[in-house]
Short mmCIF file of all heavy atoms in Angstrom, two decimals:
data_model
loop_
_atom_site.label_atom_id
_atom_site.label_comp_id
_atom_site.label_asym_id
_atom_site.label_seq_id
_atom_site.Cartn_x
_atom_site.Cartn_y
_atom_site.Cartn_z
N MET A 13 1.17 13.05 1.08
CA MET A 13 -0.17 12.84 0.52
C MET A 13 -1.27 13.50 1.33
O MET A 13 -2.25 14.00 0.77
CB MET A 13 -0.45 11.34 0.41
CG MET A 13 0.40 10.64 -0.65
SD MET A 13 0.06 8.87 -0.74
CE MET A 13 -1.65 8.89 -1.33
N HIS A 14 -1.10 13.54 2.66
CA HIS A 14 -2.19 14.01 3.53
C HIS A 14 -1.92 15.34 4.23
O HIS A 14 -2.83 15.89 4.84
CB HIS A 14 -2.51 12.93 4.57
CG HIS A 14 -2.99 11.64 3.97
ND1 HIS A 14 -4.26 11.47 3.47
CD2 HIS A 14 -2.35 10.46 3.77
CE1 HIS A 14 -4.40 10.24 3.00
NE2 HIS A 14 -3.25 9.60 3.16
N GLY A 15 -0.71 15.81 4.18
CA GLY A 15 -0.41 17.14 4.73
C GLY A 15 0.06 17.16 6.16
O GLY A 15 0.60 18.17 6.63
N GLU A 16 -0.13 16.06 6.89
CA GLU A 16 0.28 15.98 8.29
C GLU A 16 0.95 14.65 8.56
O GLU A 16 0.69 13.66 7.86
CB GLU A 16 -0.92 16.14 9.24
CG GLU A 16 -1.66 17.48 9.13
CD GLU A 16 -0.85 18.66 9.61
OE1 GLU A 16 0.14 18.45 10.35
OE2 GLU A 16 -1.20 19.81 9.27
N LEU A 17 1.82 14.61 9.57
CA LEU A 17 2.41 13.34 9.98
C LEU A 17 1.33 12.47 10.62
O LEU A 17 0.46 12.97 11.33
CB LEU A 17 3.55 13.57 10.98
CG LEU A 17 4.84 14.17 10.40
CD1 LEU A 17 5.77 14.61 11.52
CD2 LEU A 17 5.54 13.17 9.48
N PRO A 18 1.37 11.16 10.39
CA PRO A 18 0.32 10.29 10.92
C PRO A 18 0.51 10.00 12.40
O PRO A 18 1.64 10.00 12.90
CB PRO A 18 0.51 9.01 10.10
CG PRO A 18 1.99 8.99 9.79
CD PRO A 18 2.39 10.43 9.60
N ASN A 19 -0.60 9.74 13.10
CA ASN A 19 -0.48 9.18 14.44
C ASN A 19 -0.28 7.67 14.31
O ASN A 19 -0.26 7.13 13.19
CB ASN A 19 -1.70 9.52 15.31
CG ASN A 19 -3.03 9.00 14.73
OD1 ASN A 19 -3.07 7.95 14.08
ND2 ASN A 19 -4.12 9.74 14.94
N ALA A 20 -0.14 6.97 15.43
CA ALA A 20 0.19 5.55 15.40
C ALA A 20 -0.86 4.72 14.65
O ALA A 20 -0.53 3.84 13.85
CB ALA A 20 0.37 5.02 16.82
N GLN A 21 -2.13 5.04 14.89
CA GLN A 21 -3.22 4.30 14.25
C GLN A 21 -3.25 4.54 12.75
O GLN A 21 -3.41 3.61 11.95
CB GLN A 21 -4.56 4.69 14.87
CG GLN A 21 -5.74 3.85 14.37
CD GLN A 21 -7.06 4.24 15.05
OE1 GLN A 21 -7.07 5.07 15.96
NE2 GLN A 21 -8.14 3.63 14.63
N GLN A 22 -3.09 5.81 12.36
CA GLN A 22 -3.08 6.17 10.94
C GLN A 22 -1.91 5.51 10.22
O GLN A 22 -2.04 5.02 9.10
CB GLN A 22 -3.02 7.69 10.78
CG GLN A 22 -4.30 8.41 11.20
CD GLN A 22 -4.09 9.91 11.33
OE1 GLN A 22 -2.98 10.38 11.64
NE2 GLN A 22 -5.15 10.68 11.09
N MET A 23 -0.76 5.50 10.90
CA MET A 23 0.44 4.92 10.30
C MET A 23 0.28 3.42 10.10
O MET A 23 0.66 2.86 9.08
CB MET A 23 1.66 5.20 11.19
CG MET A 23 3.00 4.84 10.52
SD MET A 23 3.31 5.86 9.07
CE MET A 23 3.75 4.62 7.86
N LYS A 24 -0.31 2.75 11.08
CA LYS A 24 -0.53 1.31 10.99
C LYS A 24 -1.44 0.97 9.80
O LYS A 24 -1.16 0.05 9.03
CB LYS A 24 -1.13 0.80 12.29
CG LYS A 24 -1.30 -0.73 12.33
CD LYS A 24 -1.88 -1.18 13.67
CE LYS A 24 -2.07 -2.71 13.68
NZ LYS A 24 -2.65 -3.16 14.98
N LYS A 25 -2.51 1.73 9.65
CA LYS A 25 -3.46 1.50 8.57
C LYS A 25 -2.81 1.76 7.21
O LYS A 25 -2.97 0.99 6.27
CB LYS A 25 -4.69 2.40 8.75
CG LYS A 25 -5.77 2.19 7.69
CD LYS A 25 -6.96 3.12 7.91
CE LYS A 25 -8.00 2.93 6.81
NZ LYS A 25 -9.13 3.89 6.98
N PHE A 26 -2.08 2.87 7.11
CA PHE A 26 -1.42 3.24 5.85
C PHE A 26 -0.35 2.21 5.48
O PHE A 26 -0.27 1.77 4.33
CB PHE A 26 -0.80 4.63 5.97
CG PHE A 26 -0.16 5.13 4.71
CD1 PHE A 26 -0.93 5.57 3.64
CD2 PHE A 26 1.22 5.18 4.58
CE1 PHE A 26 -0.34 6.04 2.47
CE2 PHE A 26 1.82 5.64 3.42
CZ PHE A 26 1.04 6.07 2.37
N ASP A 27 0.47 1.84 6.45
CA ASP A 27 1.53 0.85 6.24
C ASP A 27 0.93 -0.45 5.73
O ASP A 27 1.43 -1.05 4.78
CB ASP A 27 2.28 0.63 7.55
CG ASP A 27 3.53 -0.23 7.36
OD1 ASP A 27 3.38 -1.39 6.99
OD2 ASP A 27 4.65 0.25 7.61
N HIS A 28 -0.17 -0.88 6.35
CA HIS A 28 -0.83 -2.13 5.94
C HIS A 28 -1.37 -2.00 4.51
O HIS A 28 -1.25 -2.92 3.71
CB HIS A 28 -1.97 -2.45 6.92
CG HIS A 28 -2.68 -3.75 6.60
ND1 HIS A 28 -3.76 -3.81 5.73
CD2 HIS A 28 -2.45 -5.02 7.02
CE1 HIS A 28 -4.16 -5.06 5.65
NE2 HIS A 28 -3.39 -5.82 6.41
N GLY A 29 -1.97 -0.85 4.21
CA GLY A 29 -2.54 -0.62 2.89
C GLY A 29 -1.50 -0.67 1.78
O GLY A 29 -1.79 -1.13 0.67
N ILE A 30 -0.29 -0.21 2.07
CA ILE A 30 0.79 -0.23 1.08
C ILE A 30 1.44 -1.62 1.03
O ILE A 30 1.56 -2.24 -0.03
CB ILE A 30 1.87 0.83 1.40
CG1 ILE A 30 1.26 2.24 1.38
CG2 ILE A 30 3.03 0.73 0.41
CD1 ILE A 30 0.67 2.68 0.07
N THR A 31 1.83 -2.12 2.18
CA THR A 31 2.56 -3.39 2.27
C THR A 31 1.79 -4.56 1.69
O THR A 31 2.37 -5.47 1.09
CB THR A 31 2.94 -3.68 3.74
OG1 THR A 31 3.71 -2.59 4.25
CG2 THR A 31 3.75 -4.96 3.86
N ASN A 32 0.48 -4.54 1.83
CA ASN A 32 -0.34 -5.67 1.37
C ASN A 32 -0.85 -5.52 -0.06
O ASN A 32 -1.70 -6.30 -0.50
CB ASN A 32 -1.52 -5.88 2.32
CG ASN A 32 -1.08 -6.52 3.63
OD1 ASN A 32 -1.07 -7.73 3.77
ND2 ASN A 32 -0.66 -5.70 4.58
N HIS A 33 -0.31 -4.55 -0.78
CA HIS A 33 -0.71 -4.38 -2.17
C HIS A 33 0.51 -4.26 -3.09
O HIS A 33 0.47 -3.61 -4.12
CB HIS A 33 -1.63 -3.17 -2.33
CG HIS A 33 -2.99 -3.38 -1.72
ND1 HIS A 33 -3.25 -3.10 -0.40
CD2 HIS A 33 -4.13 -3.87 -2.25
CE1 HIS A 33 -4.52 -3.40 -0.13
NE2 HIS A 33 -5.08 -3.87 -1.24
N THR A 34 1.60 -4.90 -2.69
CA THR A 34 2.85 -4.81 -3.45
C THR A 34 2.90 -5.75 -4.65
O THR A 34 3.70 -5.54 -5.56
CB THR A 34 4.05 -5.11 -2.53
OG1 THR A 34 3.80 -6.33 -1.82
CG2 THR A 34 4.26 -3.99 -1.51
N MET A 35 2.09 -6.79 -4.66
CA MET A 35 2.08 -7.70 -5.80
C MET A 35 1.43 -7.03 -7.01
O MET A 35 0.52 -6.21 -6.86
CB MET A 35 1.35 -9.00 -5.46
CG MET A 35 2.10 -9.89 -4.47
SD MET A 35 1.37 -11.50 -4.25
CE MET A 35 1.56 -12.24 -5.85
N VAL A 36 1.88 -7.43 -8.19
CA VAL A 36 1.27 -6.92 -9.42
C VAL A 36 0.46 -8.04 -10.06
O VAL A 36 0.64 -9.22 -9.75
CB VAL A 36 2.34 -6.40 -10.42
CG1 VAL A 36 3.07 -5.20 -9.83
CG2 VAL A 36 3.33 -7.50 -10.79
N HIS A 37 -0.45 -7.67 -10.93
CA HIS A 37 -1.26 -8.64 -11.66
C HIS A 37 -0.33 -9.64 -12.35
O HIS A 37 0.65 -9.26 -12.99
CB HIS A 37 -2.12 -7.90 -12.70
CG HIS A 37 -3.25 -8.70 -13.24
ND1 HIS A 37 -3.07 -9.79 -14.06
CD2 HIS A 37 -4.59 -8.57 -13.07
CE1 HIS A 37 -4.24 -10.30 -14.40
NE2 HIS A 37 -5.19 -9.58 -13.80
N GLU A 38 -0.61 -10.92 -12.20
CA GLU A 38 0.27 -11.95 -12.72
C GLU A 38 0.47 -11.82 -14.24
O GLU A 38 1.55 -12.11 -14.76
CB GLU A 38 -0.26 -13.34 -12.37
CG GLU A 38 0.69 -14.48 -12.68
CD GLU A 38 2.01 -14.43 -11.91
OE1 GLU A 38 2.07 -13.74 -10.87
OE2 GLU A 38 2.99 -15.07 -12.35
N GLN A 39 -0.57 -11.36 -14.94
CA GLN A 39 -0.44 -11.17 -16.38
C GLN A 39 0.61 -10.11 -16.73
O GLN A 39 1.20 -10.15 -17.81
CB GLN A 39 -1.79 -10.76 -16.98
CG GLN A 39 -2.53 -11.88 -17.64
CD GLN A 39 -3.75 -11.40 -18.40
OE1 GLN A 39 -4.71 -10.92 -17.81
NE2 GLN A 39 -3.72 -11.53 -19.71
N LEU A 40 0.82 -9.20 -15.80
CA LEU A 40 1.80 -8.13 -16.03
C LEU A 40 3.20 -8.71 -16.17
O LEU A 40 4.04 -8.13 -16.87
CB LEU A 40 1.74 -7.11 -14.90
CG LEU A 40 2.40 -5.74 -15.17
CD1 LEU A 40 1.64 -4.99 -16.25
CD2 LEU A 40 2.46 -4.90 -13.91
N THR A 41 3.46 -9.83 -15.52
CA THR A 41 4.78 -10.45 -15.62
C THR A 41 5.08 -10.87 -17.07
O THR A 41 6.24 -10.92 -17.48
CB THR A 41 4.91 -11.66 -14.68
OG1 THR A 41 3.97 -12.66 -15.06
CG2 THR A 41 4.67 -11.26 -13.24
N GLN A 42 4.01 -11.21 -17.82
CA GLN A 42 4.19 -11.60 -19.22
C GLN A 42 4.56 -10.39 -20.09
O GLN A 42 5.20 -10.53 -21.12
CB GLN A 42 2.89 -12.22 -19.77
CG GLN A 42 2.31 -13.36 -18.94
CD GLN A 42 3.25 -14.51 -18.78
OE1 GLN A 42 3.90 -14.94 -19.73
NE2 GLN A 42 3.38 -15.03 -17.56
N PHE A 43 4.17 -9.21 -19.63
CA PHE A 43 4.42 -7.98 -20.36
C PHE A 43 5.92 -7.74 -20.56
O PHE A 43 6.36 -7.24 -21.59
CB PHE A 43 3.77 -6.81 -19.60
CG PHE A 43 3.63 -5.55 -20.40
CD1 PHE A 43 2.58 -5.37 -21.28
CD2 PHE A 43 4.54 -4.53 -20.28
CE1 PHE A 43 2.46 -4.20 -22.02
CE2 PHE A 43 4.42 -3.35 -21.00
CZ PHE A 43 3.38 -3.19 -21.88
#
């Protein structure tokens, strides 16, 4: 996505951004 390998700080931020947004809208489960 960004063209370069992340440093430790960038990786921590990116990992957190992905890991903490894994849930889907509850209404989607009804779909």
Side-chain angles (χ1 to χ4, degrees):
M13 291 179 66
H14 298 284
E16 299 292 342
L17 288 168
N19 59 33
Q21 186 178 355
Q22 290 167 331
M23 190 65 229
K24 184 179 179 181
K25 182 181 178 183
F26 183 75
D27 189 296
H28 182 271
I30 299 299
T31 303
N32 285 269
H33 290 88
T34 50
M35 290 188 65
V36 296
H37 196 291
E38 189 62 19
Q39 260 189 293
L40 197 67
T41 63
Q42 308 301 316
F43 195 82

